[in-house]
Amino acid sequence: MSEASVKLLSRGVETLTDQELLELLLDDGDSERLAGALLSSFEGRLAALGYADIARLRMAAGIGLKRAARIQAAARELGPDPIGSSNDVVRIFRPLLTEMKHEECWCLYLNTGNRIVERQRVSQGGVQATVVDHRLVIKRALELLATQIILVHNHPSGAALPSEQDKILTKKIAEAAALFDIRLLDHLIIARGGEYSFRQNGLLQ
């Protein structure tokens, strides 16, 4: 029996470190090394594994598809860290969006404790633009009973400055969300050259 298993049985799951939790999930003779490799690739945070790309998970530790999917699902179920700042959102999405050759827009749906209820791609477009239906974004928030949302999209051009279309979309979603007491916390643009936060730049109140 591994040290992590003994600790789990004697002291409870809440005493386990992220490394030990991962070792139990991996459950083989090389669990310690694999767990360390995974955590080192994701800034030492188990929560980040729950929203990582499956291919990147597999590459980080040389594991199979089924095991990577199990780790991702378990990391989400264990409860991601609350979103405390735009940096937390960038940390989740930069690995996914930075190298894309087309635009994608995603929405994070949060509860009142700033924990992620769901992460959903809301549109996929071309090199320069993507069309987002603000009604569908709000509809999903209502279905999930989310009280806060964050929009995230990428700019394949490499420049993170918002376009006029980005500003119009942000205004539409913020106004539609407010009708249902849902708050648009931020709209983030991620690009190779950096990131842009609508809130930090005074475009969201």
Side-chain angles (χ1 to χ4, degrees), residues 163-173 198:
S163 65
E164 278 306 308
Q165 290 89 341
D166 294 336
K167 293 175 183 178
I168 291 169
L169 170 65
T170 305
K171 186 173 185 291
K172 276 186 178 180
I173 291 184
F198 274 66

Side-chain angles (χ1 to χ4, degrees), residues 122-123 131-139 169 173:
V122 293
S123 75
V131 178
V132 178
D133 189 331
H134 65 282
R135 294 165 298 185
L136 294 179
V137 172
I138 303 306
K139 177 176 179 288
L169 170 65
I173 291 184

Side-chain angles (χ1 to χ4, degrees), residues 59-136:
M59 187 179 299
I63 57 178
L65 179 60
K66 286 185 179 179
R67 186 180 285 186
R70 186 173 73 231
I71 287 170
Q72 185 187 69
R76 289 191 189 188
E77 191 63 28
L78 286 167
D81 294 338
I83 297 297
S85 69
S86 60
N87 291 335
D88 293 333
V89 181
V90 171
R91 191 179 297 116
I92 292 171
F93 280 96
R94 180 164 285 287
L96 174 67
L97 296 176
T98 304
E99 300 304 322
M100 283 187 176
K101 305 303 182 186
H102 61 275
E103 277 200 18
E104 287 193 0
C105 186
W106 290 71
C107 187
L108 282 181
Y109 297 95
L110 310 177
N111 62 21
T112 52
N114 279 3
R115 292 187 181 275
I116 298 169
V117 178
E118 184 174 276
R119 181 186 75 162
Q120 184 184 66
R121 182 173 61 191
V122 293
S123 75
Q124 180 175 331
V127 174
Q128 293 186 328
T130 182
V131 178
V132 178
D133 189 331
H134 65 282
R135 294 165 298 185
L136 294 179

Side-chain angles (χ1 to χ4, degrees), residues 5 8-9 12 28 32 45 54 59 88 96 104-105 107 117-118 121 125 140 153 175 187 193 196 204:
S5 297
L8 170 65
L9 293 172
D28 68 17
E32 185 175 350
R45 298 171 64 250
I54 286 285
M59 187 179 299
D88 293 333
L96 174 67
E104 287 193 0
C105 186
C107 187
V117 178
E118 184 174 276
R121 182 173 61 191
R140 187 57 180 157
H153 82 277
E175 290 176 349
H187 183 177
Y196 184 95
L204 266 177

Side-chain angles (χ1 to χ4, degrees), residues 152-165:
V152 187
H153 82 277
N154 63 317
H155 277 182
S157 66
L161 288 176
S163 65
E164 278 306 308
Q165 290 89 341

